[in-house]
Amino acid sequence: MDMAESFKNGVPYLEGSGGLHLYGAIMYILTLMRATTVIRFAMELAGFEKVFIMTHTLQSHFQINAAHDAWVGSRLARSGGAFGGALSILLAAIAQSGAAQSRSPLIILERANSQMRAVSADGNVVAGTMRIRECGNAVRWTLDGGAVFLPVSPTTRCSAVSALSADGSRAVGNIVGNIVGSGQPAAYWDATGLPVVLGDLSGGNLSATAECVSADGSIIMGAGRPSSGIETWRWTADLGMLSLGDLPGGSINTFPFAVSADGNVMMGVGFAESGAVMFRWTHETGFENLGPVPGSTGSGGFGMSSDGTTLVGCAATGSGQAEYAVLWRRESGYVALGQPAGSFRGLATCADRDGTNIGGRVLKIASNGRGIDHAVLWVEGRETRLFADVLRDDLGVDLGEFRPASISGISDDGTTVAGWGVMDQLSLSTFPNSFGFIAYLPRVCRVDLDNTGGVDGGDVEAFFTLWEDGLPQADFDRSGEVEGNDIAAFLSAWQVGC
């Protein structure tokens, strides 16, 4: 049998009969996998009643020889029967894991005039806009299928996507009709079919957008224009589109940017008497004005962790101009995220499940004297860095002339991020020159304080060193201060692991 004969439909195929010792076969396969893991091998598939849990220290970089290793294993384990089937499942998992790890750390869309804005919670789907006419058209992207334009009717001129449900099957945004003045209604797309038009709030011009969606896709929130100003609305299949009103005081101008996975918490930016401010909304409290960032005249909210606990945005002037990136939590209030040297006007736009990883952008002065956007990744307890430096220094990506300009979406585990950048290092952050990108990052483990890649006793020692010095990395209860409660919070997280 040659290598091609040992595979059917890309899955290692075992046939024939023979006698390979059961324990030896399993241990051989485990040695082929090259990462530290715990393997639960369902031996009942092979007629055994017990389930064995094997812990095995394995090697690294197995994606290079994944297919070959699976083939060799199949040649050695030609035992047929139920054991052969169980073994083939394990071999297939090895090969698929290798294939997944072999993806490029950075994927830049080939078509210019594109921006990626949303990432599904599971990281498998990314969505955004590509400009093919005078305005953009909504696209959904996957690793296997690439970018695919979302379908629209012949009467639709342009479309845009703002957010995705947890599995990426529902995309929300808006569409624009072919006829000038025909309006811009909010809409959503499911996995297949034309968009479902949600319309707009009654009164005023037809001008609405769906900005955020719950994990299961059942709750959609956005902004519309009733008779005056901009108001936030909430949509469900049962109740349709209902206005949530506006922040008390100031102009009628409230715009949502994110909703929690369960749909119970929404956040965004509005105008109160003091000017632009970040707000938080729940059914119980309604709109909650979070006020200006201390020392600043305003604030703005543009993203939130999917658990609803961490709101991200910026300190702002009263007119709404960004000053520096911040996060807000109930325990700590506003906390400045920090900015890379030489940068200004930081803006945080997205966060992972619990706010450990936050994406956004800052401005830096280029050699031509102009301020240009640079993507930034904030990781809790670590130094704030330009995303270009993360890609170049940590992942070995040769960026060439590409400059990541903004991170707009991030998966729940923080390993998939998306946004846009430009090829000309000195260009302004204008849409016509932009290229959407998707990047894959190693998972960040908050309790891996000694940076060994695992959770062990060294992390405990590292924590107490940080705690004794009062450093912010030891603030595990996220209160904004380093105190006794952080010890219990760290030990609880350490016990759970990564």
Side-chain angles (χ1 to χ4, degrees), residues 215-268:
D216 64 2
S218 65
I219 299 172
I220 299 173
M221 293 188 174
R225 292 180 180 271
S227 57
S228 63
I230 300 175
E231 292 185 6
T232 295
W233 51 259
R234 182 178 186 268
W235 177 93
T236 62
D238 292 338
L239 300 177
M241 184 183 292
L242 299 176
S243 173
L244 298 180
D246 184 47
L247 277 173
S251 61
I252 301 176
N253 194 348
T254 304
F255 201 94
F257 277 98
V259 67
S260 59
D262 59 13
N264 292 330
V265 182
M266 180 263 292
M267 64 84 67

Side-chain angles (χ1 to χ4, degrees), residues 456-470:
D456 52 31
D459 299 308
V460 178
E461 181 180 355
F463 167 77
F464 279 104
T465 298
L466 295 168
W467 186 82
E468 290 171 356
D469 293 338

Side-chain angles (χ1 to χ4, degrees), residues 159 167 433:
S159 57
D167 63 1
N433 194 41

Side-chain angles (χ1 to χ4, degrees), residues 274-278 291-300 314-320 323 334:
S274 61
V277 291
M278 183 187 297
V293 176
S296 184
T297 56
S299 60
C314 65
T317 63
S319 61
E323 292 184 321
Y334 287 112

